[in-house]
Amino acid sequence: QVQLVESGGGLVQAGGSLRLSCVASGKFFSINAMGWYRQAPGNERELVATITNGGSTNYADSVKGRFTISRVGAKNTVYLQMNSLKPEDTAVYYCHLDPALGTRWWGQGTQVTVSS
């Protein structure tokens, strides 16, 4: 079992910043990648940003230049620094972990609300 605990969500005004954190614990051999997806009401879950074990990153076009993903490998922790937030960034943000063996694990999600 793998547990992912997210924190850092909340309510912020447009133009503001938030930093999301996700800590992974449990039994897994090694991590291929971790990252974040988000889901707004009525929408499908979509990629926000991922980071591989080697440090390669991938961002959704809508967040490039505003969001930064980082990871502390020794702590199995991934962060998402979100700057210049927009109302359309409002969603539940989910952390994921892709182990070297096995299927993707998901966190419970953290709500981010950006007011205009």
Side-chain angles (χ1 to χ4, degrees):
Q1 285 283 352
V2 174
Q3 294 81 42
L4 300 173
V5 178
E6 301 121 328
S7 61
L11 173 65
V12 65
Q13 288 187 333
S17 299
L18 286 173
R19 189 175 84 151
L20 305 183
S21 302
C22 174
V23 180
S25 62
K27 293 184 177 181
F28 49 88
F29 179 64
S30 63
I31 298 173
N32 274 347
M34 294 182 72
W36 297 90
Y37 279 64
R38 67 187 180 187
Q39 187 168 18
N43 292 353
E44 295 185 353
R45 193 172 294 190
E46 63 177 6
L47 168 75
V48 177
T50 61
I51 184 166
T52 69
N53 191 44
S56 298
T57 58
N58 184 39
Y59 294 92
D61 288 343
S62 59
V63 306
K64 285 180 181 177
R66 300 187 298 122
F67 291 10
T68 302
I69 190 169
S70 60
R71 183 183 159 205
V72 179
K75 296 183 178 181
N76 293 328
T77 301
V78 65
Y79 301 98
L80 185 68
Q81 178 66 43
M82 305 186 293
N83 298 328
S84 302
L85 282 160
K86 304 175 181 180
E88 51 264 44
D89 294 318
T90 295
V92 177
Y93 284 69
Y94 296 93
C95 175
H96 76 86
L97 182 153
D98 297 337
L101 295 174
T103 58
R104 174 171 288 180
W105 293 87
W106 293 97
Q108 292 298 309
T110 185
Q111 177 70 47
V112 171
T113 303
V114 185
S115 63
S116 57

